[in-house]
Amino acid sequence: MLALYARVAVENTAYHFDKAFDYLVPQELAQAAHPGCRVLVPFGAANSWRLGMILEISQENETDNPIKEVVAVLDQAPLLSREGILLVPWLKERTFCTLFEAVKLLLPAGINLKLKTEYTVSREGREADDSARPAPEQQILQYLCAQKKPVEREKLLKALRLPRDSAAPEKLFKEGLLEKSGSAVRQIKDAAQKMVRLVEGGALPGKLTPKQKSVCKILADTGSVSLKELCYFAGVTPAVVNALVTKGVVRYYEAEVYRNPYEDIEEPGQAEQIVLSGEQQTAFKNLLGQYRRAAGGASLLFGVTGSGKTSVFMRLIDEVLADGNNVIVMVPEISLTPQSLALFHRRYGKRVAVFHSGLSLSERLDEWKRVRRGEVSIAVGTRSAVFAPFENLGLIIMDEEQEYTYKSESSPRYHARDVAKFRCAYHKALLVLASATPSMESYYLAQNGRYSLNRLTARYGGAKLPEVRFVDMNQELDAGNDSIFSRELLFGMEENLKINKQSIILLNRRGYNTFVSCKACKEVMTCPNCSISLTYHAANQRLMCHYCGYSVPFTKECPVCHEDKVYYSGFGTQRAEEQLREFLPDARVLRLDTDAAMSRFAYEDKLRRFSEGEYDVIVGTQMVAKGLDFENVTLVGVLSADQALYGDDFRSYERAFDLLTQVVGRAGRGQFAGEAVIQTFTPENPVLSLAAKQDYPAFYEGEIALRKAMLYPPFADLCVIGFVGTLESKVAQASQSFMDMLRRLAESEYKREPLRVLPPSPALISKVSNKYRYKLIMKCRNSRNFRQMVARLLTAFAKEKRFADVTAFADMNPDMIL
C-alpha cells in the first residue's frame, strides 16, 4: 500500500515559521484522514501534541527530514469543505495570519478543542536511579512520584517553573520512565449566565477591603446581579468577587438561558406580497438578471435613507430561494440585528440562522450545525456570518456596506467584503452592497464599471426626507445657554411630546463627563495604563478608561496636588440623559449605549419597548443612528456634530457624512413628516449641508478629488505595520529597524512595486494597557508581489533576537490608522 502524507496547519505556530507541515498517515488512520478533518500531531523538539487541520492528502512529502506520524484523527467527517480549505491559504496571504488562525476563523468558537497531555510515572520510572540525571528530569520524576493521578503537561511545567517548551518530559517518556496520555476536549461555554448573590444568613466578616465592601453593598441593594454588571457598577475585576466566594460571603449560581433564543418563532403562513415602486422594480430586475447570469460579480444598491432597499432584498431573496440556493445577509452591528431578524423571521420562519456575538458559544455552534445540515436557507448576522458554511450559495447581501465593523481589528485582519467576493466568485453568486452612504472605494468601483450600480433616489411610498435645521452653538453660549441642548431642539421635543410622537437624540460619546482635570495644578486625570483621559460614569460613580477598563472612584480631590478642585467637563450620553429628564420631566427617556445594554438581548428588548411606545425619546451613541425604522419618530437631534468632523484620520469627513446622513434619515420614515436639528460650532462646514440634503454624489465629487491629490484609497492601498511592546525606546528602535529592512529589500528585489513610505511614528493612542505602539504607513498597490515582500519582512523581523519583546503585525487597508 502506498504511503499517505497529510499537509497539516498546526495550532500555535509563530508566523515566521508557519506553513503546512508534512506528516505520515499511519495505515490504521488512512480511512479516516481527509482534508478538512482535525488531527492530533507531534510538534517541535519536545514532540508535544498539538491540534492541526488537514489541508491536503498526498502520496508525496515535501521534506527530506525524518517524517513524524499523525497521532489521531479527531473528526468523523470533514469540518471544512473544499471552498473552506481554499479560503485558508487565501486568508493567510492577504491578512498575514497563520494557517491555523485562518482555520479557526471558519469554525464556530464552540467547536474548538483543547488538548490535554498528561504524564504519570511508569513502574520503571519509580524504580530508576535518577541521581545522575539533569536537575529538571530529577524534579519531574520526584514530583510525579508524589502524585496519585496523571498531571497535565502545563500544570507540571508550571509547578516546577520549567519553560513551556521543555523537552524533559518527552525525553523521559521516550526512555520509558513516564507514561503519556492525551485527549481533545471540546470547549463549549455553558448555556447559562453567571450570577452572584450574598450567601443566605451569612454574616459579613470584619475584614473586607473597600472593593469587597462595595460589591457586598450592591448585592445587598439588588439581591442578585450578573457577574458582568456587578464588576461594572462596583468598578472591580472578577478576582475581587472570586475572593468573596472563597471567604464564603457570596456565591455564584447559573441563571438558565435558552440555547436557541429563536426556537419559538412561528412558521409563516402565506408570504405577504411585496409591492415595489418603479425605481425599486428596475433595481430588482437588474439585480435578478445579474444573478441569473451566474457569473459572480458585485452590485452596489445605492439609495437614500428610507428608499426601500430592504424590500428589493426580499424580492431578490425569494427568487434565489426558489432556485434552491442559499443566502447570507450581513448587518454591521448587533444593534441592527433585532429589526433585521424580525423581518426575516416573519417572512421565512425557521429557515433563518443567526450569527452574532450576542449568542453564547453553544448557540453559535448550534446555528453553524443547522447550516451544515442544510436545515436553513438564510444566515443573518454580523461580520462572522460571511463564513456560514453553505454549499449552494446564490446571494450575499452586505447592508450598510461602508461600516467599519466589517473589518476585523485583530488577527486575522480580514474585511468581510473581501471574503464575500471570494465566496461569490467560487459559487458564481451575486454580491449586493447596499447603502445610502457607500464607502468611497465602492462608489468609485461602481462609477468605473467594476460593480454594477442601481440607484433609489426617492423615499418609498411618498415619504419625504426630513427638513434639516442647523443651530450655531456659539450663539447659544452667547445667549447664556450652557447646556448640551439648544433651545430649538428642546422646543422640538416638547412639541413632539404634545402630539405623542417620538424623538431620537445622537451623542456619540458614552459616559457622563468626558474630560476631568484639576483647576489648581492643571493636571488631567488620565489612565495609568493608556495614554488617554478618563471618562466619568455617573451610573457607577467611577472614572473609567474605555480602552483597558481601569477605573477609580469619583473624587473632587486632585491625586497630584490634593486640592479639592477637580473639574468635570464634557458631555456623554449619561449626562445628556440626566439633563433631558430635568428639562422634560414628563418624557420617558431611554438611553441606549454599550453601558446601558450589557445583558443578553438588551438591545432587542429596549428597541422593542421603544417601538411599542413605552418611551418618548432615545438618547444614544451611533447605534441609534443606523438601520432603525420607527414610523412614529419625527424628530432627530444631533448634539455634537463637530466631534465626528474633526478627527485625525483621512476618513473623518467620510465618517461624519455617513453618520449625519444616517441619523437624519431616522426621521419621517412613514406617513408623518420629519425634521432634524443639528447642533454645531461650525455651521459653515460644507459636509454638514451636504449631509442634510443627503447629497452623496456632491460629497463624493469633492472627497474623491482630495483622495486623488493625496494618493489615498481608492487610488492607492494602505498597509500599516504596527509595533507593540512594553518599552517605548525598544518599540521605536524596532520600527526604525523595520524601516531600514524595508528600504534595502524594496531597492534590491522589489524596485517595480510602487511605494510611498511614511517614517515610523507613535500611534494616535501611543500606549494601551501598558504597551507602547508605533506605526509605519505604506501607500502601495495590494499586489501578490507586495504581499510577498511584507511577509518576508515580518518573517525576518521576527528572527531579530534583539527585538524579541516587540510584536510586529501588518494590516492591509485598515479602517482606522493605528
Side-chain angles (χ1 to χ4, degrees):
M1 180 177 289
L2 292 173
L4 292 181
Y5 299 92
R7 296 204 173 93
V8 179
V10 180
E11 189 176 28
N12 295 329
T13 58
Y15 178 79
H16 64 275
F17 65 81
D18 179 64
K19 64 174 185 177
F21 295 91
D22 282 1
Y23 286 89
L24 177 66
V25 180
Q27 188 172 339
E28 64 271 17
L29 298 179
Q31 295 299 315
H34 300 287
C37 288
R38 290 172 299 177
V39 289
L40 208 57
V41 293
F43 191 81
N47 280 320
S48 56
W49 290 349
R50 290 200 191 178
L51 189 63
M53 171 66 74
I54 299 177
L55 300 180
E56 184 183 351
I57 294 289
S58 173
Q59 293 180 353
E60 298 177 1
N61 71 305
E62 296 182 351
T63 179
D64 296 327
N65 299 324
I67 197 106
K68 300 177 183 180
E69 291 190 358
V70 173
V71 175
V73 178
L74 303 176
D75 298 306
Q76 295 180 349
L79 295 180
L80 295 185
S81 64
R82 180 176 178 274
E83 179 196 10
I85 291 171
L86 291 174
L87 194 50
V88 168
W90 185 89
L91 283 164
K92 174 182 169 65
E93 184 205 347
R94 284 161 176 77
T95 68
F96 307 101
C97 67
T98 66
L99 289 169
F100 202 84
E101 283 177 327
V103 167
K104 290 174 72 173
L105 203 57
L106 303 182
L107 300 177
I111 208 169
N112 288 341
L113 297 173
K114 180 182 178 182
L115 299 184
K116 282 178 60 177
T117 301
E118 297 177 327
Y119 292 100
T120 54
V121 177
S122 66
R123 180 180 298 176
E124 292 81 358
R126 292 184 183 276
E127 298 173 354
D129 179 11
D130 63 2
S131 58
R133 290 188 170 277
E137 294 179 21
Q138 291 183 39
Q139 292 173 329
I140 290 172
L141 288 169
Q142 292 166 10
Y143 181 85
L144 290 176
C145 281
Q147 305 301 311
K148 296 181 180 180
K149 59 182 181 179
V151 179
E152 284 190 53
R153 175 184 167 87
E154 289 77 9
K155 182 180 178 182
L156 172 67
L157 297 177
K158 185 176 180 180
L160 300 177
R161 296 185 178 179
L162 295 175
R164 293 184 63 185
D165 59 351
S166 171
E170 194 64 23
K171 183 172 180 288
L172 293 170
F173 166 68
K174 287 181 177 178
E175 293 179 14
L177 303 182
L178 297 185
E179 294 176 353
K180 182 169 74 170
S181 60
S183 61
V185 181
R186 178 168 287 168
Q187 295 177 300
I188 301 182
K189 197 174 183 178
D190 292 335
Q193 184 174 24
K194 183 174 278 190
M195 305 291 289
V196 189
R197 65 183 174 210
L198 290 169
V199 172
E200 294 178 12
L204 295 182
K207 291 185 177 181
L208 288 179
T209 68
K211 289 183 178 181
Q212 291 172 345
K213 289 178 181 177
S214 174
V215 168
C216 292
K217 183 178 185 308
I218 290 173
L219 291 176
D221 293 339
T222 61
S224 66
V225 68
S226 74
L227 177 62
K228 182 177 180 180
E229 291 173 304
L230 179 61
C231 289
Y232 171 75
F233 285 103
V236 301
T237 65
V240 176
V241 186
N242 290 339
L244 287 170
V245 172
T246 303
K247 291 181 178 182
V249 178
V250 305
R251 64 181 291 262
Y252 289 130
Y253 68 99
E254 302 289 344
E256 182 181 2
V257 292
Y258 294 106
R259 190 164 172 108
N260 181 0
Y262 307 108
E263 63 186 357
D264 295 331
I265 295 297
E266 296 182 3
E267 288 299 328
Q270 183 70 30
E272 183 181 342
Q273 186 174 359
I274 297 173
V275 179
L276 301 179
S277 67
E279 272 192 332
Q280 289 175 316
Q281 185 67 25
T282 300
F284 164 66
K285 284 185 175 180
N286 291 341
L287 291 170
L288 182 61
Q290 190 172 350
Y291 158 73
R292 293 270 190 242
R293 288 193 290 274
S299 180
L300 176 62
L301 181 58
F302 167 48
V304 298
T305 55
S307 58
K309 294 183 287 293
T310 304
S311 297
V312 177
F313 295 166
M314 293 293 197
R315 285 286 289 113
L316 188 59
I317 289 170
D318 288 346
E319 297 292 333
V320 174
L321 296 182
D323 289 343
N325 291 323
N326 300 306
V327 179
I328 294 173
V329 180
M330 286 184 280
V331 294
E333 294 189 52
I334 189 173
S335 58
L336 304 186
T337 310
Q339 283 202 328
S340 300
L341 277 181
L343 289 171
F344 282 91
H345 280 147
R346 280 199 300 270
R347 190 166 187 84
Y348 305 110
K350 294 184 178 180
R351 297 173 72 185
V352 178
V354 183
F355 293 89
H356 62 69
S357 59
L359 303 181
S360 72
L361 297 184
S362 298
E363 290 165 347
R364 279 183 270 178
L365 176 59
D366 284 356
E367 294 296 84
W368 184 85
K369 287 178 177 177
R370 290 177 66 210
V371 174
R372 282 264 299 177
R373 291 195 294 259
E375 296 175 6
V376 299
S377 306
I378 305 171
V380 179
T382 48
R383 184 175 65 220
S384 61
V386 75
F387 297 108
F390 285 121
E391 288 293 336
N392 301 312
L393 193 57
L395 175 67
I396 298 180
I397 295 169
M398 282 185 70
D399 199 13
E400 307 294 352
E401 66 88 27
Q402 78 285 356
E403 282 298 318
Y404 70 93
T405 50
Y406 285 126
K407 177 72 161 68
S408 171
E409 294 180 350
S410 59
S411 186
R413 294 176 171 83
Y414 71 96
H415 197 297
R417 182 173 54 231
D418 297 330
V419 178
K421 287 180 183 178
F422 176 96
R423 298 202 67 185
C424 285
Y426 181 87
H427 290 275
K428 293 183 170 53
L430 175 63
L431 171 62
V432 177
L433 308 171
S435 180
T437 54
S439 65
M440 298 293 292
E441 292 86 343
S442 292
Y443 197 73
Y444 176 82
L445 292 174
Q447 292 286 83
N448 287 276
R450 294 278 296 279
Y451 300 162
S452 65
L453 178 60
N454 292 283
R455 300 174 185 265
L456 301 176
T457 61
R459 284 194 155 186
Y460 180 76
K464 302 295 183 184
L465 289 172
E467 177 190 349
V468 181
R469 298 192 300 278
F470 295 98
V471 175
D472 187 341
M473 295 303 288
N474 296 294
Q475 296 178 6
E476 290 291 307
L477 287 175
D478 291 343
N481 178 15
D482 60 356
S483 83
I484 194 171
F485 293 96
S486 65
R487 293 164 296 178
E488 184 169 348
L489 181 55
L490 285 172
F491 176 77
M493 285 189 284
E494 287 176 339
E495 291 301 303
N496 249 18
L497 282 175
K498 292 176 184 177
I499 58 175
N500 294 318
K501 293 293 180 285
Q502 294 171 300
S503 307
I504 291 178
I505 306 299
L506 169 69
L507 176 58
N508 206 17
R509 272 280 176 86
R510 61 192 180 99
Y512 188 87
N513 292 116
T514 56
F515 188 77
V516 186
S517 62
C518 175
K519 284 188 172 181
C521 69
K522 312 304 181 187
E523 179 74 13
V524 176
M525 305 294 113
T526 59
C527 174
N529 309 317
C530 309
S531 54
I532 194 167
S533 59
L534 297 173
T535 298
Y536 173 56
H537 285 234
N540 59 0
Q541 294 192 319
R542 300 185 72 85
L543 298 172
M544 300 188 69
C545 173
H546 289 170
Y547 279 79
C548 72
Y550 170 84
S551 71
V552 291
F554 168 84
T555 180
K556 280 287 187 181
E557 180 183 313
C558 174
V560 176
C561 69
H562 301 290
E563 293 283 337
D564 289 337
K565 292 189 177 181
V566 170
Y567 177 68
Y568 292 76
S569 60
F571 290 86
T573 49
Q574 292 179 8
R575 190 172 182 193
E577 176 190 22
E578 180 182 273
Q579 283 200 358
L580 203 53
R581 294 184 190 280
E582 292 174 3
F583 291 136
L584 302 174
D586 295 331
R588 297 164 298 171
V589 180
L590 168 65
R591 175 166 57 86
L592 198 57
D593 55 28
T594 53
D595 297 325
M598 288 186 181
S599 58
R600 281 168 57 88
F601 306 110
Y603 294 123
E604 190 168 351
D605 179 59
K606 290 176 184 291
L607 290 175
R608 175 188 56 78
R609 293 167 65 187
F610 182 78
S611 175
E612 293 173 355
E614 291 187 31
Y615 295 99
D616 303 304
V617 184
I618 288 182
V619 55
T621 52
Q622 65 179 15
M623 64 179 63
V624 306
K626 302 176 183 183
L628 304 182
D629 190 352
F630 300 112
E631 186 177 23
N632 205 40
V633 171
T634 57
L635 174 66
V636 163
V638 180
L639 297 188
S640 184
D642 308 297
Q643 181 184 307
L645 282 170
Y646 303 107
D648 293 314
D649 193 281
F650 75 94
R651 289 191 176 92
S652 292
Y653 273 10
E654 181 181 4
R655 290 199 185 96
F657 181 88
D658 167 45
L659 186 65
L660 294 172
T661 300
Q662 294 285 352
V663 73
V664 166
R666 297 314 103 203
R669 297 178 68 88
Q671 58 180 313
F672 309 113
E675 59 181 343
V677 176
I678 298 178
Q679 299 181 174
T680 174
F681 286 94
T682 57
E684 70 280 0
N685 191 303
V687 174
L688 296 177
S689 58
L690 291 173
K693 292 185 288 186
Q694 301 218 1
D695 192 350
Y696 179 86
F699 169 76
Y700 170 84
E701 289 303 322
E703 187 71 7
I704 202 71
L706 182 63
R707 297 280 184 95
K708 188 173 184 179
M710 300 297 291
L711 198 61
Y712 279 124
F715 299 100
D717 292 294
L718 289 185
C719 181
V720 175
I721 309 295
F723 305 89
V724 181
T726 54
L727 190 63
E728 185 176 14
S729 59
K730 184 67 72 69
V731 177
Q733 291 172 21
S735 62
Q736 186 58 53
S737 175
F738 191 98
M739 174 80 171
D740 296 338
M741 293 164 57
L742 166 63
R743 182 182 292 109
R744 289 193 297 270
L745 188 60
E747 289 176 350
S748 62
E749 299 184 44
Y750 294 90
K751 290 182 179 179
R752 294 187 177 182
E753 287 301 312
L755 269 182
R756 289 189 184 178
V757 183
L758 304 181
S761 61
L764 181 61
I765 309 292
S766 60
K767 186 174 73 166
V768 173
S769 298
N770 281 320
K771 290 190 176 180
Y772 291 92
R773 313 191 305 167
Y774 270 62
K775 66 181 183 296
L776 184 154
I777 301 174
M778 291 182 272
K779 295 181 180 180
C780 59
R781 182 177 60 208
N782 187 7
S783 64
R784 177 173 293 180
N785 273 348
F786 175 79
R787 294 192 296 269
Q788 181 190 74
M789 181 184 73
V790 172
R792 288 178 61 184
L793 287 166
L794 290 172
T795 299
F797 177 84
K799 293 177 181 178
E800 288 275 352
K801 292 184 179 179
R802 60 194 171 119
F803 299 128
D805 52 351
V806 177
T807 300
F809 63 88
D811 195 355
M812 186 61 71
N813 289 318
D815 188 77
M816 294 191 70
I817 306 297
L818 187 68

